[in-house]
Amino acid sequence: MGDPANHSPLYHAVLDYNGDLVKDLIEEALENGVDVQQILSKSLIPAMDEVGFRFASGSIFLPEMLMAANAMKQGLKILRPILVRSDRKSFLGRVVIGTVQGDLHDIGKNLVSMALEGAGFDVVDLGVDVNSDTFVQAVARHNPDIVALSALLTTTMGSMKGIIRKLKTASSEIRVIVGGAPVNADFATSVEADGFGADARDAVIIARQLIGIPATEPPGKAA
């Protein structure tokens, strides 16, 4: 994934899981007049790309990926208010995400949410146990590019089809991606989802593809 020596201290702070340093370096960069987009595109997004690559190759595991995402989140707390005040074009796109009705699990959803934010998306997290009407209302309110549905239970994954049907009826332009432990590509096709992510890295790749950004690696690639 490139020569680490070519990357900034902020990039390395994310890879070292050092949230306090990430925060300090971003505050310093902003004080020195560095543009928010440069902070994202030159340091934070490449760092999360590298985290995803290391996770996919088996050199780090879920706890390390979560630590990197949490370090990234410390920086995003500072950048988010600036991004929200600026033109929406500062974001790659907007994603509404939630765990479907009847399912209270959120670890996977939270990881995907953080990974998408780290990749430059504006993320609206609806939480857990979200019904179809709430998803439709969120689309009307936030005008997202993508809706991401998560399920961990086989008993709740079936509700995704009804949610997707309602979403597509309300907005023919919306794109829906699905994920979660019992979900696979065949199921995603059967419920007419626009994409399936096996993990947070896949979700970012699929989301980029759906808004027209070519992927550097195919989703689902493993070591």
Side-chain angles (χ1 to χ4, degrees), residues 75-95:
L76 292 172
K77 286 179 182 178
I78 301 171
L79 296 181
R80 173 168 284 280
I82 301 171
L83 289 166
V84 169
R85 289 197 303 268
S86 64
D87 190 305
R88 181 174 168 180
K89 290 180 181 177
S90 297
F91 295 106
L92 292 181
R94 179 170 292 153
V95 180

Side-chain angles (χ1 to χ4, degrees), residues 14-32:
V14 174
L15 295 181
D16 290 337
Y17 321 127
N18 192 334
D20 289 337
L21 182 57
V22 167
K23 182 178 177 181
D24 291 343
L25 289 171
I26 288 178
E27 288 176 339
E28 180 182 339
L30 292 172
E31 288 173 2
N32 291 331

Side-chain angles (χ1 to χ4, degrees), residues 153-166:
L153 304 174
T154 55
T155 53
T156 59
M157 62 188 283
S159 67
M160 287 181 169
K161 185 172 184 176
I163 294 172
I164 293 172
R165 185 183 298 117
K166 280 196 173 183

Side-chain angles (χ1 to χ4, degrees), residues 206-221:
I206 294 298
R208 285 175 170 172
Q209 290 175 338
L210 289 176
I211 63 170
I213 299 176
T216 55
E217 300 176 64
K221 182 178 178 183

Side-chain angles (χ1 to χ4, degrees), residues 168-179:
K168 299 284 188 177
T169 299
S171 172
S172 61
E173 299 299 318
I174 199 67
R175 299 292 177 264
V176 183
I177 60 177
V178 296

Side-chain angles (χ1 to χ4, degrees), residues 8-203:
S8 69
L10 178 55
Y11 169 95
H12 290 288
V14 174
L15 295 181
D16 290 337
Y17 321 127
N18 192 334
D20 289 337
L21 182 57
V22 167
K23 182 178 177 181
D24 291 343
L25 289 171
I26 288 178
E27 288 176 339
E28 180 182 339
L30 292 172
E31 288 173 2
N32 291 331
V34 178
D35 181 71
V36 173
Q37 279 302 308
Q38 184 174 342
I39 295 172
L40 282 169
S41 64
K42 300 295 185 182
S43 296
L44 295 184
I45 293 175
M48 286 308 294
D49 283 346
E50 176 66 17
V51 169
F53 174 78
R54 292 182 183 184
F55 178 74
S57 66
S59 59
I60 65 171
F61 300 97
L62 184 59
E64 290 84 3
M65 191 172 186
L66 283 168
M67 287 190 292
N70 279 318
M72 168 77 76
K73 199 168 186 179
Q74 294 302 308
L76 292 172
K77 286 179 182 178
I78 301 171
L79 296 181
R80 173 168 284 280
I82 301 171
L83 289 166
V84 169
R85 289 197 303 268
S86 64
D87 190 305
R88 181 174 168 180
K89 290 180 181 177
S90 297
F91 295 106
L92 292 181
R94 179 170 292 153
V95 180
V96 164
I97 188 171
T99 302
V100 300
Q101 187 173 20
D103 200 325
L104 301 177
H105 295 87
D106 67 356
I107 293 177
K109 172 190 66 65
N110 291 345
L111 181 56
V112 170
S113 180
M114 287 187 288
L116 287 167
E117 283 195 326
F121 286 89
D122 180 26
V123 178
V124 178
D125 190 339
L126 302 181
V128 300
D129 193 23
V130 184
N131 62 36
S132 57
D133 288 339
T134 301
F135 277 112
V136 170
Q137 291 163 9
V139 168
R141 179 179 179 183
H142 299 288
N143 190 29
D145 303 285
I146 297 167
V147 174
L149 307 178
S150 173
L152 189 67
L153 304 174
T154 55
T155 53
T156 59
M157 62 188 283
S159 67
M160 287 181 169
K161 185 172 184 176
I163 294 172
I164 293 172
R165 185 183 298 117
K166 280 196 173 183
L167 287 169
K168 299 284 188 177
T169 299
S171 172
S172 61
E173 299 299 318
I174 199 67
R175 299 292 177 264
V176 183
I177 60 177
V178 296
V183 180
N184 57 35
D186 289 339
F187 174 79
T189 299
S190 74
V191 297
E192 300 181 358
D194 298 289
F196 157 70
D199 52 36
R201 171 182 165 275
D202 270 8

